[in-house]
Amino acid sequence: MAASEDSLRRALVEKQSTIESQGNAVRALKASNAEKKAVDEAIEKLNALKLEKSSIEKQLQASVSGNPGSSVSKEAFRQAVVNTLVGRLFFIPSFKIYGGVAGLYDYGPPGCAVKSNVLAFWRQHFVLEENMLEVDCPCVTPEVVLKASGHVDKFTDLMVKDEKTGTCYRADHLLKDFCNEKIQKDLSITAEKAAELKHVLAVLDDLSAEELGTKIKEYGITAPDTRNPLSDPYPFNLMFQTSIGPSGLSPGYMRPETAQGIFVNFKDLYYYNGNKLPFAAAQIGQAFRNEISPRQGLLRVREFTLAEIEHFVDPDDKSHPKYSEVADLEFLMFPREQQISGQSAKKTCLGEAVSKGIVNNETLGYFIGRVYLFLTRLGIDKDRLRFRQHLANEMAHYAADCWDAEIESSYGWIECVGIADRSAYDLRAHMDKSGVPLVAHEKFSEPKEVEKLVIVPVKKELGLSFKGNQKKVVEALEAMNEKEALDMKSSLETKGEVEFHVCTLGENVTIKKSMVSISKEKKKEHQRTFTPSVIEPSFGIGRIIYCLYEHSFYLRSSKAGDEQLNVFRFPSLVAPIKCTVFPLVQNQQYEDVAKIISKSLTAAGISHKIDITGTSIGKRYARTDELGVPFAITVDSTSSVTIRERDSKDQIRVNVEEAATVMKSVTDGNTTWADAWANFPHHSSVSAEE
Amino acid sequence: MAASEDSLRRALVEKQSTIESQGNAVRALKASNAEKKAVDEAIEKLNALKLEKSSIEKQLQASVSGNPGSSVSKEAFRQAVVNTLVGRLFFIPSFKIYGGVAGLYDYGPPGCAVKSNVLAFWRQHFVLEENMLEVDCPCVTPEVVLKASGHVDKFTDLMVKDEKTGTCYRADHLLKDFCNEKIQKDLSITAEKAAELKHVLAVLDDLSAEELGTKIKEYGITAPDTRNPLSDPYPFNLMFQTSIGPSGLSPGYMRPETAQGIFVNFKDLYYYNGNKLPFAAAQIGQAFRNEISPRQGLLRVREFTLAEIEHFVDPDDKSHPKYSEVADLEFLMFPREQQISGQSAKKTCLGEAVSKGIVNNETLGYFIGRVYLFLTRLGIDKDRLRFRQHLANEMAHYAADCWDAEIESSYGWIECVGIADRSAYDLRAHMDKSGVPLVAHEKFSEPKEVEKLVIVPVKKELGLSFKGNQKKVVEALEAMNEKEALDMKSSLETKGEVEFHVCTLGENVTIKKSMVSISKEKKKEHQRTFTPSVIEPSFGIGRIIYCLYEHSFYLRSSKAGDEQLNVFRFPSLVAPIKCTVFPLVQNQQYEDVAKIISKSLTAAGISHKIDITGTSIGKRYARTDELGVPFAITVDSTSSVTIRERDSKDQIRVNVEEAATVMKSVTDGNTTWADAWANFPHHSSVSAEE
């Protein structure tokens, strides 16, 4: 940790001790019935000391929370969060007793509860409120599906191998590390060189295998662990491969995303929805990426939970019926133009961004708004959340528009949700590969008259002139677009014949009037058939949860001031358990009351824990604060109990019979702690905490 | 379907038509003010006709539901259930547009909702009510873990290959099919032969690869598809294999169960629980088995959701604090003895089975009881649920006792939950492999005095006599058990020397009194260290859900009597959505009311759907019954609406503002439909349904 942090901690301990002496002085003055003036002065001094202490605490917190802070304090902050997470089993490195596996983590009991709360809220906020069709498909996926989606061919990272040991590295990571290291630590490089390295960093994601290889050679980059030479970069597919069935003849993969399961079911889901658009399907499930060398701890893992929505919509009408409900929201947006011109994200009204065309369409805008509400209700700090539009080179050629919800963490801005208008790409890909029409129909309220071009080659005449080449000429004639055909028609009518280039023959042929009939005919159509566009919000649940941990974590001093205590300020919605029940002291009567309350909490569906250890109440509060438990019920009599709120440390007194009802109402969000505070007698917190 | 079923259907249509004529006759008589006696006689006749109709319906249902029924009607029943499930997208064969993959199924929207309800109830019933520690581990598992658990070596089925095409079959399935076919269809076989084949079927699961191969050769069994000869049987490992990381040097598997993730975390979880026993950990997640040739549709699949509990307990004290809560339960139990003596499962009091030692211990009994409550509350028919004890040859050598919750379906009795006392096997296996102590400690309330054997070889003397062999002699002396040591002690005391066999030397040596000191010393011990036993209830969620579908499905005639309608009688807890909202006719006012009600249902967290299609209300009821939706709210005025219960078809009338509150209370289980029926005016159902 930073030196400044240590000195702040020392200052804090000293200040606390001075406060305690001053407190004693005040009490002594009061007890000796000293003059009012003397007492008032002593109290004023005490208050001034408390203010100074609070200022030190704030500095310490800024230093540790790394916000804004240097990279050192960011890492110290991250370490403090991760230590707490691992210490309290929010996370456990998977298969730890066998040395673990990079990029695999378990959720321990509180982490599992947080995850389950986040997913339940996701279902409520998206699936239930939007009437989405949820599906649940297998992780094991046959090759044909991922061939169609492009993952078999393109889901790769470029890898280099240590030529002696065979250890693998991501090529771009090595180049990135080299450039950063040089720029930051090598004082001998020229300004020119520095500019070159910065340029490499800027275009890193766009470099081909050859370009990466050239740079690695040019800079003489070697294997970081051994200094051995490296192989040329080559693509490594990030999917876990396996084999389905015993024959070894059916390759399969662990899915890299859940979306494909929805696309292949489009036809059934469209039918299930009464053949009506728009509708959305959703899936929550595991996804797998066999990362070359996972870094960034909990953010880049080899197995993770995705929650994905595919909203199918008529490409000619991307309005959304509930758009007005989010149009007035304001939050940080970071459009393409502002990124290019070097500005930063600005607070923007969503409705304006849509009406100005910065966000491509209403439906995309609607989901951006809903994602904002989802994340902030979970407890993500709105000032460290921005919606960043993809630059042109980040976006697939078929995508209409794409925005990432990025959350600022100690690792920088992290992509946690992608919201993309992928046009008709995915459905077309599966339609082409499977031959099954994945289309929608719009019935016209009355038939529409359309003019259609009709080209009829006269095969007999063509056969006489072109013999073996007849088929190619026929195909070329039929393939003409409207302008070409109408030009030919008028030429034939005026000149009787025309030169015509047949690509497949590589030459011109002479077409006579007798050889083709070209006309425009009017037809009545009753419906239109089209491939729907898909708008895809895709949530990395593990990343959201990790960022939530960072945004919820803070430190505060213990009562004695000699210790900094960890607290997670989770909202009830997210907290692993909603309350803890403590008998104040170890005694049968209090334990019986605790059990009665526990029973009524269980009946009300409120997750909780009884803590009957003999530890001091202060220590037990600290333990439950560290788990982010919002409320603590302390049994200090057989008729009534206190309820303490985690962040304010305020306490109210309620009857034993009321405890579960109050908890239910406050944790469900039907009432707030402020309501409870207004309605129940306050309990003075002299006892355990300051 | 069976011929008798067709004739029953015809009879039903006829009967309905007669009932309608008779109904008309009654109305005509009433309208013409005929004599009371004539009207009464006509009504009596009408009632008699209705009774006859009801009897035909029951016969038809018995015929279709296959209960008791023949195998033909069982298959017809299963077909009816599966048709409904697939038709309404409870299930979809995965990757259907690409021809599907055997043994992989998607949950479609209603199936997904049912699954999510079942899992939520599982969490409530087990994790929350029992304060279990839930964890969530990856599916990708490194080889070392599954080597320790025995899966790499033993998780196999015996397979044979078509020697020409390479198609794979399960060896035991082919032998089983052959025997069944012969016994049932070949009338030429002798009684002796039939007995032999029956014996083969009885011992099928115990046959080795060699024995299976011999039988297949002896009976001349060939590949079912081609009649080609078959290979010898050989073991095929059922785990999906993959490779972790890019090097190809770290083999991994998709986990075949979730339990191992819990075992490897024992140490952390024990610490998290305050180093106290007993405690239980739980995990819900995907598991994978690469079946050779999946059969039995939805029951034998290659990827499935497991929910597993590992309850860690002191092997010397397997009592359970909440045991008394289940001890009085009575249900079908099928102990080992009754299976061997050819009896069938009997209704048994759980407490008696435990006290008589039929169930090994209280904790095992407690979980059997909790599983019974879980399954029946989901809607599993208690008369088609039994707890069957494993026979000695089914049980692993280390297991103390093992019971399966088996549910009767059209496929026979299906194992859906296994409840096993696995003793200390799993923790010991991982402790041996990893070298990490996976043990628990019991602190004694006061130190216990124990007598310990102390053997002290006198190395100097031994070195003089045995030189280079000294070390082996020392080790052999130290390895003596208590009896050997005390025998030696007395021999040395009486004779001064003794012959002693040293295995590692392969010879006897002479030990003299001066060479070793043997004594018993009293020591004080403060705690005991032991490997906990584990009791494991393991739930196949997909199997439970499929059986639930079969137990919930029934047929009833449409109003006109010309059609049999499908109904799932799901309890609210399980139903995919809790209610449907229908405007009676298409009109803006009613649709507005439907939207208001929908909003209040959403706010109350009640999943529902609005159906504004112009279809007749009868058809819309049928559609929602087929999804198992328990309630339908019909908007037939702007001030009040009707609520219809699915199975009774009874309707009550409530104010628009009350609708959501009534639904909330009834679907949460705080009140029952009977309460609602007693408290609200009844709506006569003359209109749409009979």
Side-chain angles (χ1 to χ4, degrees), chain B residues 153-172:
Chain B
D153 295 324
K154 290 181 194 155
F155 192 61
T156 56
D157 274 343
L158 291 167
M159 177 162 89
V160 288
K161 264 197 182 174
D162 180 320
E163 290 201 332
K164 291 190 179 150
T165 65
T167 308
C168 304
Y169 303 94
R170 257 182 74 168
D172 58 342

Side-chain angles (χ1 to χ4, degrees), chain B residues 400-417:
Chain B
D401 193 6
C402 194
W403 292 76
D404 286 343
E406 295 185 332
I407 305 177
E408 197 182 20
S409 79
S410 64
Y411 292 101
W413 288 95
I414 300 298
E415 175 201 343
C416 290
V417 187

